[in-house]
Amino acid sequence: MAGVLSKRTFLLSLLAVSSVRAEPLLPPAAAPRAVGLAEAIAYAKAHQPAIRTAMARIAARKSAADVPRAAWLPRFGVTAQLFGATANQTTASYVTVDVPDLPRIGGTRAVSKGTFRPYASTLAGIGANQEVFDFGRIAAEAAAADALVDVERERAASTALDVTFDVEEAYFAVFASKSIVQASEDAYERARVHRDLAKAGVTAGLRPPIELTRAESELTKLDIGRMRARGNLATAETVLAAVVGAPDSALDVASSPPNPAEMPSLADAIERASARDPRLRAALSELHAEEARTRAIGASLRPDLSATGTFSGRAGGATPSSGPGADGSGFIPNVPNWDVGLVLTWPLFDGVVNARESASRAEEQVRREEMDLVRQEDVAVVREAYVAVDVAREALPGLRRAVDAAKANYDQADARFRAGLGTSVELADAEALRTDADIQLALGQFELARARAAFGRSIAEGP
């Protein structure tokens, strides 16, 4: 997703008009549609490709969890066989292991020494197999599959939180871009008035020509900054549309930004993160899934009892032990048979299964260690986000005082310039100071909103 690629650096560079060196971008021809923050988040949760992908993964895991339970369904199969082979046998009988189950029926003479003479043989049959009792094997496999569904659910919840944060970050970036555009427009208008005053003064012979050329240069510089600010606003609106997953090429924001929610205490925040953060819950679910997988591997060595039933027709061209031979010399399966029975199988020892079970237990320990790591990282992230909000909040009063001081300085420079006591250089310095203070205030407000959104993400805040 677009928000994952160091979005903070990208958006800050997008908003910092004074540091942009790219060519100015043109705003879209039509005004983009305006949306509220709640509307944008709700739309993203329903339409963002990352969310839809997470939901598809959950659905896929659910389908996979139905696979072991399907072992309780009966199995039906049909077979038809024609081959030539020798017919040296004894009276032993057996049952095949695949559907249909076909008991071997001795029909030729029992011999002590075989012969290599081939005979024709045909068979056609239909049969069914039904699980009767699995000794908990299927339940263990189903539990392991269900645990993987829980893992995907927690991952989807984490994705939803990431998308929510991305939308909030992009949403507040548009507000900051708008504030910067307004500051740039105001600075341009003030510079245009001063250019006109300088031109009138030069024409009247009250000011030297250098005052006019200096004012023209300042006006041109501010015009370029204004165009870049508009381009950055258009880009921010494009980013917002992308993270929301809207079909629009760009999205605008509502008229006023929402107020940040109240902050809980740091202790409460850490406790809430431990209880609600889907990353930690996903790690716990992965541990449970690995434990269930270990049990399912061990359960594969349990006995299995199934019922079998088959109807078949067969014929063989070999000489029977008594009575006449089969019609058609074994090429027509016209001798009917049926059977029903119970089959018990029990794999008493399988070294591969035992090794797989041991490997799965080792993976359980890996999952436990990962849980401790995620828990530690969660605490660190919450603390960092909490401090970031405090720093951004404490900086705002200073930024507002800087704006007030810059405006007062500008007013003094403006008055001196109008009275003929100040120069265009002094006025340009005051203008740059005021414009930069306005932009820094917009960036400070963005930083606070973004830090608060990041804190909400760290404690899994929201419904």
Side-chain angles (χ1 to χ4, degrees):
M1 192 179 357
V4 177
L5 353 134
S6 190
K7 213 170 208 208
R8 179 182 183 188
T9 302
F10 168 70
L11 289 174
L12 285 176
S13 63
L14 177 70
L15 299 176
V17 176
S18 60
S19 65
V20 175
R21 293 184 175 86
E23 291 298 321
L25 302 176
L26 294 178
R33 176 169 58 96
V35 296
L37 180 58
E39 178 186 358
I41 292 174
Y43 189 92
K45 287 183 176 179
H47 299 88
Q48 231 289 338
I51 298 290
R52 295 169 61 183
T53 301
M55 294 299 103
R57 289 196 182 104
I58 293 176
R61 284 297 185 186
K62 286 182 177 179
S63 296
D66 292 335
V67 173
R69 293 182 174 88
W72 287 110
L73 299 176
R75 294 183 297 162
F76 298 91
V78 175
T79 184
Q81 303 173 13
L82 169 63
F83 53 90
T86 59
N88 305 314
Q89 69 168 23
T90 66
T91 57
S93 295
Y94 59 88
V95 174
T96 59
V97 294
D98 294 325
V99 178
D101 295 326
L102 290 169
R104 176 183 179 276
I105 302 172
T108 60
R109 292 174 296 138
V111 296
S112 59
K113 294 183 179 181
T115 176
F116 288 99
R117 177 184 175 183
Y119 300 94
S121 177
T122 58
L123 182 144
I126 182 172
N129 187 289
Q130 172 64 57
E131 185 73 37
V132 176
F133 190 69
D134 69 328
F135 296 86
R137 175 179 49 84
I138 296 175
E141 293 174 356
D146 289 340
L148 294 177
V149 176
D150 293 337
V151 172
E152 287 300 336
R153 283 199 183 99
E154 298 302 337
R155 288 176 178 170
S158 183
T159 299
L161 287 175
D162 290 338
V163 168
T164 299
F165 170 70
D166 289 342
V167 171
E168 290 176 329
E169 185 180 35
Y171 195 86
F172 292 124
V174 175
F175 274 114
S177 296
K178 283 188 159 186
S179 297
I180 292 174
V181 167
Q182 187 61 52
S184 301
E185 294 284 355
D186 292 343
Y188 177 81
E189 286 302 317
R190 290 191 298 267
R192 185 180 61 79
V193 171
H194 293 144
R195 188 278 313 271
D196 294 342
L197 287 174
K199 183 177 182 180
V202 171
T203 302
L206 300 176
R207 292 182 181 274
I210 194 173
E211 294 288 343
L212 178 57
T213 56
R214 183 67 175 81
E216 289 283 5
S217 175
E218 185 68 19
L219 183 64
T220 301
K221 184 184 74 171
L222 292 175
D223 189 32
I224 293 174
R226 181 178 63 161
M227 288 189 293
R228 286 174 172 171
R230 291 174 182 170
N232 289 338
L233 173 59
T235 303
E237 291 173 338
T238 301
V239 171
L240 177 60
V243 298
V244 168
D248 310 63
S249 60
L251 285 177
D252 197 1
V253 296
S255 57
S256 59
N259 295 324
E262 290 296 325
M263 294 271 291
S265 67
L266 181 57
D268 289 342
I270 293 175
E271 183 178 356
R272 185 180 302 182
S274 299
R276 300 184 57 181
D277 187 7
R279 290 175 296 194
L280 181 58
R281 293 167 60 178
L284 179 61
S285 296
E286 288 176 355
L287 172 60
H288 291 164
E290 194 62 45
E291 291 172 342
R293 181 171 176 269
T294 302
R295 290 191 292 270
I297 293 173
S300 65
L301 293 178
R302 296 176 185 176
D304 185 81
L305 182 65
S306 61
T308 179
T310 306
F311 178 80
S312 65
R314 68 189 72 195
T319 302
S321 59
S322 63
D327 295 337
S329 298
F331 288 97
I332 302 174
N334 57 357
V335 180
N337 283 283
W338 65 267
D339 66 87
V340 292
L342 291 174
V343 179
L344 175 68
T345 59
W346 191 347
L348 296 178
F349 176 78
D350 190 325
V352 174
V353 172
N354 292 338
R356 288 175 56 209
E357 186 177 10
S358 297
S360 184
R361 291 191 187 281
E363 285 294 329
E364 290 179 20
Q365 186 59 35
V366 174
R367 299 293 176 262
R368 293 186 183 95
E369 297 298 337
E370 288 177 345
M371 271 193 60
D372 292 339
L373 176 62
V374 172
R375 187 177 290 110
Q376 184 180 31
E377 289 177 346
D378 272 0
V379 173
V381 168
V382 172
R383 290 181 184 276
E384 181 182 358
Y386 195 89
V387 171
V389 173
D390 279 346
V391 171
R393 182 175 292 163
E394 290 175 1
L396 276 184
L399 293 172
R400 292 191 179 98
R401 288 194 300 270
V403 169
D404 294 338
K407 286 181 178 178
N409 179 69
Y410 174 83
D411 291 341
Q412 293 174 7
D414 180 56
R416 285 173 53 81
F417 183 80
R418 291 177 183 274
L421 301 176
T423 65
S424 58
V425 174
E426 180 183 280
L427 187 61
D429 289 341
E431 179 62 62
L433 186 63
R434 178 175 178 177
T435 303
D436 183 68
D438 289 338
I439 292 175
Q440 291 303 318
L441 177 59
L443 291 176
Q445 291 170 336
F446 167 73
E447 274 296 309
L448 175 58
R450 183 195 178 280
R452 183 60 184 84
F455 176 76
R457 168 62 185 91
S458 69
I459 62 173
E461 195 173 46

